[in-house]
Coordinates of all heavy atoms in Angstrom, one line a residue:
V1 N -15.7 15.0 -2.7 CA -17.2 14.6 -2.8 C -18.0 15.8 -2.5 O -19.0 16.1 -3.2 CB -17.5 13.4 -1.9 CG1 -19.0 13.1 -1.9 CG2 -16.7 12.2 -2.3
L2 N -17.7 16.5 -1.4 CA -18.5 17.7 -1.0 C -18.5 18.7 -2.1 O -19.5 19.3 -2.5 CB -18.0 18.3 0.3 CG -18.1 17.5 1.5 CD1 -17.5 18.2 2.7 CD2 -19.6 17.3 1.8
F3 N -17.3 19.0 -2.7 CA -17.1 20.0 -3.7 C -17.9 19.6 -4.9 O -18.5 20.5 -5.5 CB -15.6 20.1 -4.0 CG -15.2 21.5 -4.4 CD1 -14.8 22.4 -3.4 CD2 -15.2 21.9 -5.7 CE1 -14.4 23.7 -3.8 CE2 -14.9 23.2 -6.1 CZ -14.5 24.1 -5.1
I4 N -17.8 18.4 -5.4 CA -18.5 18.0 -6.6 C -20.0 17.9 -6.4 O -20.7 18.3 -7.3 CB -17.9 16.6 -7.1 CG1 -16.4 16.8 -7.5 CG2 -18.7 16.0 -8.2 CD1 -15.6 15.6 -7.7
C5 N -20.4 17.6 -5.2 CA -21.9 17.6 -4.9 C -22.4 19.1 -5.0 O -23.5 19.3 -5.4 CB -22.2 17.0 -3.6 SG -22.2 15.2 -3.6
D6 N -21.6 20.0 -4.5 CA -21.9 21.4 -4.4 C -21.8 22.0 -5.8 O -22.5 23.0 -6.1 CB -21.0 22.2 -3.5 CG -21.4 21.9 -2.0 OD1 -22.5 21.5 -1.7 OD2 -20.5 22.1 -1.2
Q7 N -21.0 21.5 -6.7 CA -20.8 22.0 -8.0 C -20.8 20.9 -9.1 O -19.8 20.7 -9.7 CB -19.5 22.8 -8.1 CG -19.4 24.0 -7.2 CD -18.1 24.8 -7.4 OE1 -17.7 25.0 -8.5 NE2 -17.5 25.2 -6.3
P8 N -21.9 20.3 -9.3 CA -22.0 19.2 -10.2 C -21.6 19.7 -11.6 O -22.1 20.7 -12.0 CB -23.4 18.6 -10.2 CG -24.2 19.7 -9.4 CD -23.2 20.5 -8.6
G9 N -20.8 18.9 -12.3 CA -20.4 19.3 -13.7 C -19.2 20.1 -13.7 O -18.8 20.5 -14.8
I10 N -18.5 20.2 -12.6 CA -17.2 20.9 -12.6 C -16.2 20.1 -13.3 O -16.2 18.9 -13.3 CB -16.8 21.2 -11.1 CG1 -15.6 22.1 -11.1 CG2 -16.5 19.9 -10.4 CD1 -15.2 22.6 -9.7
S11 N -15.3 20.8 -14.1 CA -14.3 20.0 -14.8 C -13.1 19.7 -13.8 O -13.0 20.4 -12.8 CB -13.7 20.8 -15.9 OG -12.9 21.9 -15.5
Q12 N -12.4 18.7 -14.1 CA -11.3 18.3 -13.3 C -10.3 19.4 -13.2 O -9.7 19.7 -12.1 CB -10.6 17.0 -13.8 CG -9.6 16.4 -12.8 CD -9.2 15.0 -13.2 OE1 -9.9 14.3 -13.8 NE2 -8.0 14.7 -12.8
K13 N -10.1 20.1 -14.3 CA -9.2 21.3 -14.3 C -9.6 22.4 -13.4 O -8.9 23.0 -12.6 CB -9.0 21.8 -15.7 CG -7.9 22.9 -15.9 CD -7.8 23.2 -17.3 CE -6.6 24.2 -17.5 NZ -6.4 24.5 -18.9
Q14 N -10.9 22.7 -13.4 CA -11.5 23.7 -12.5 C -11.3 23.3 -11.0 O -11.0 24.1 -10.2 CB -13.0 24.0 -12.8 CG -13.2 24.7 -14.1 CD -14.7 24.6 -14.4 OE1 -15.4 23.6 -14.2 NE2 -15.2 25.8 -14.9
L15 N -11.6 22.0 -10.8 CA -11.5 21.4 -9.5 C -10.1 21.6 -8.9 O -9.9 22.1 -7.8 CB -11.8 19.9 -9.5 CG -11.9 19.2 -8.1 CD1 -13.0 19.8 -7.2 CD2 -12.1 17.7 -8.3
L16 N -9.0 21.3 -9.7 CA -7.7 21.4 -9.1 C -7.3 22.9 -8.9 O -6.6 23.2 -7.9 CB -6.7 20.7 -10.0 CG -6.2 21.2 -11.3 CD1 -5.0 22.1 -11.2 CD2 -5.9 20.0 -12.2
H17 N -7.8 23.8 -9.7 CA -7.5 25.2 -9.5 C -8.2 25.8 -8.3 O -7.7 26.6 -7.5 CB -7.8 26.0 -10.7 CG -6.9 25.8 -11.9 ND1 -5.6 26.2 -11.8 CD2 -7.1 25.3 -13.1 CE1 -5.0 25.9 -12.9 NE2 -5.8 25.3 -13.7
Q18 N -9.5 25.3 -8.1 CA -10.2 25.9 -6.9 C -9.8 25.2 -5.6 O -9.9 25.9 -4.6 CB -11.7 25.6 -7.2 CG -12.2 26.5 -8.3 CD -13.7 26.4 -8.4 OE1 -14.5 25.9 -7.5 NE2 -14.2 26.9 -9.5
L19 N -9.2 24.0 -5.7 CA -8.7 23.4 -4.4 C -7.2 23.7 -4.2 O -6.7 23.2 -3.2 CB -9.0 21.9 -4.5 CG -10.4 21.5 -4.5 CD1 -10.6 20.0 -4.6 CD2 -11.1 21.9 -3.2
F20 N -6.6 24.3 -5.1 CA -5.1 24.6 -5.0 C -4.3 23.3 -4.8 O -3.5 23.3 -3.9 CB -4.9 25.6 -3.9 CG -5.6 26.9 -4.1 CD1 -6.8 27.2 -3.4 CD2 -5.2 27.8 -5.0 CE1 -7.5 28.4 -3.6 CE2 -5.8 29.0 -5.3 CZ -7.0 29.3 -4.6
R21 N -4.6 22.3 -5.6 CA -3.9 21.0 -5.5 C -3.2 20.8 -6.8 O -3.6 21.3 -7.8 CB -4.9 19.9 -5.2 CG -5.7 20.0 -3.9 CD -4.8 19.5 -2.8 NE -5.6 19.3 -1.6 CZ -5.2 19.7 -0.4 NH1 -4.0 20.2 -0.3 NH2 -5.9 19.6 0.6
Q22 N -2.2 19.9 -6.7 CA -1.4 19.5 -7.9 C -2.3 18.5 -8.7 O -3.1 17.8 -8.1 CB -0.1 18.8 -7.5 CG 0.9 19.8 -6.9 CD 2.1 19.1 -6.4 OE1 2.1 17.9 -6.3 NE2 3.2 19.8 -6.2
Q23 N -2.1 18.5 -10.0 CA -2.9 17.7 -10.9 C -2.8 16.2 -10.5 O -3.8 15.5 -10.5 CB -2.5 17.9 -12.3 CG -3.3 17.2 -13.3 CD -3.0 17.5 -14.8 OE1 -2.2 18.4 -15.0 NE2 -3.6 16.8 -15.7
S24 N -1.6 15.8 -10.2 CA -1.4 14.3 -9.9 C -2.2 13.9 -8.6 O -2.8 12.8 -8.6 CB 0.0 14.0 -9.7 OG 0.6 14.7 -8.6
I25 N -2.3 14.8 -7.7 CA -3.1 14.5 -6.4 C -4.6 14.5 -6.7 O -5.3 13.6 -6.3 CB -2.8 15.6 -5.3 CG1 -1.3 15.4 -4.9 CG2 -3.7 15.5 -4.2 CD1 -0.8 16.6 -4.0
V26 N -5.1 15.5 -7.5 CA -6.5 15.5 -7.9 C -6.8 14.3 -8.7 O -7.9 13.6 -8.5 CB -6.8 16.8 -8.6 CG1 -8.2 16.8 -9.2 CG2 -6.6 18.0 -7.7
T27 N -6.0 13.9 -9.7 CA -6.2 12.8 -10.6 C -6.3 11.5 -9.7 O -7.2 10.7 -9.9 CB -5.1 12.6 -11.6 OG1 -5.1 13.8 -12.4 CG2 -5.3 11.4 -12.5
K28 N -5.4 11.3 -8.8 CA -5.5 10.1 -7.9 C -6.8 10.1 -7.1 O -7.4 9.0 -7.0 CB -4.3 10.1 -7.0 CG -4.1 8.9 -6.2 CD -2.8 8.9 -5.3 CE -2.7 7.7 -4.5 NZ -1.5 7.7 -3.7
A29 N -7.1 11.2 -6.5 CA -8.4 11.2 -5.7 C -9.6 11.0 -6.6 O -10.5 10.2 -6.2 CB -8.5 12.6 -5.0
V30 N -9.6 11.6 -7.8 CA -10.8 11.4 -8.7 C -10.9 10.0 -9.1 O -12.0 9.4 -9.1 CB -10.7 12.4 -9.9 CG1 -11.6 12.0 -11.0 CG2 -11.0 13.8 -9.5
N31 N -9.8 9.4 -9.5 CA -9.8 8.0 -9.9 C -10.3 7.1 -8.7 O -11.1 6.1 -9.0 CB -8.4 7.5 -10.3 CG -8.1 8.1 -11.7 OD1 -9.0 8.5 -12.5 ND2 -6.8 8.2 -12.0
Y32 N -9.9 7.3 -7.5 CA -10.3 6.6 -6.4 C -11.9 6.7 -6.2 O -12.6 5.7 -6.0 CB -9.6 7.0 -5.1 CG -10.2 6.4 -3.8 CD1 -9.7 5.1 -3.4 CD2 -11.1 7.0 -3.1 CE1 -10.2 4.5 -2.3 CE2 -11.6 6.4 -1.9 CZ -11.2 5.1 -1.6 OH -11.7 4.5 -0.4
L33 N -12.3 7.9 -6.3 CA -13.8 8.2 -6.1 C -14.6 7.6 -7.2 O -15.7 7.1 -7.0 CB -14.0 9.7 -5.9 CG -13.4 10.3 -4.7 CD1 -13.5 11.8 -4.7 CD2 -14.0 9.8 -3.4
I34 N -14.1 7.6 -8.4 CA -14.8 6.9 -9.5 C -14.9 5.4 -9.3 O -16.0 4.8 -9.4 CB -14.1 7.2 -10.9 CG1 -14.3 8.7 -11.3 CG2 -14.7 6.3 -12.0 CD1 -13.5 9.2 -12.5
K35 N -13.8 4.9 -8.9 CA -13.7 3.4 -8.7 C -14.6 3.0 -7.5 O -15.2 1.9 -7.6 CB -12.2 3.0 -8.3 CG -12.0 1.6 -8.0 CD -10.6 1.3 -7.7 CE -10.4 -0.1 -7.2 NZ -9.0 -0.4 -6.7
N36 N -14.8 3.8 -6.6 CA -15.7 3.5 -5.4 C -17.1 4.1 -5.5 O -17.7 4.3 -4.5 CB -15.0 4.0 -4.1 CG -13.8 3.1 -3.8 OD1 -13.9 2.0 -3.3 ND2 -12.6 3.5 -4.1
D37 N -17.5 4.5 -6.7 CA -18.9 4.9 -7.0 C -19.3 6.1 -6.2 O -20.4 6.3 -5.8 CB -19.9 3.7 -6.7 CG -21.2 4.0 -7.2 OD1 -21.3 4.6 -8.3 OD2 -22.2 3.7 -6.6
W38 N -18.4 7.1 -6.1 CA -18.7 8.4 -5.5 C -19.0 9.5 -6.5 O -19.9 10.3 -6.4 CB -17.6 8.9 -4.6 CG -17.6 8.1 -3.3 CD1 -16.8 7.1 -2.9 CD2 -18.4 8.3 -2.2 NE1 -17.1 6.6 -1.7 CE2 -18.1 7.4 -1.2 CE3 -19.5 9.2 -1.9 CZ2 -18.7 7.3 0.1 CZ3 -20.1 9.1 -0.7 CH2 -19.7 8.2 0.3

């Protein structure tokens, strides 16, 4: 949430590269945050 608020419009691919996370972990977190209106 902090990262996306600081960089609105970031792609999910850019997010996973900048956070040094695996795609599956980022996808799971993004889906949770979408579902919970973040």
Side-chain angles (χ1 to χ4, degrees):
V1 175
L2 292 177
F3 211 91
I4 293 165
C5 284
D6 287 337
Q7 297 185 41
I10 188 171
S11 74
Q12 189 167 335
K13 187 175 184 177
Q14 290 171 318
L15 184 65
L16 72 93
H17 286 296
Q18 290 187 15
L19 294 176
F20 302 102
R21 298 278 190 223
Q22 294 176 341
Q23 184 173 353
S24 61
I25 294 170
V26 173
T27 299
K28 185 177 179 180
V30 165
N31 288 337
Y32 174 85
L33 294 170
I34 290 170
K35 180 181 173 186
N36 289 283
D37 193 38
W38 285 100

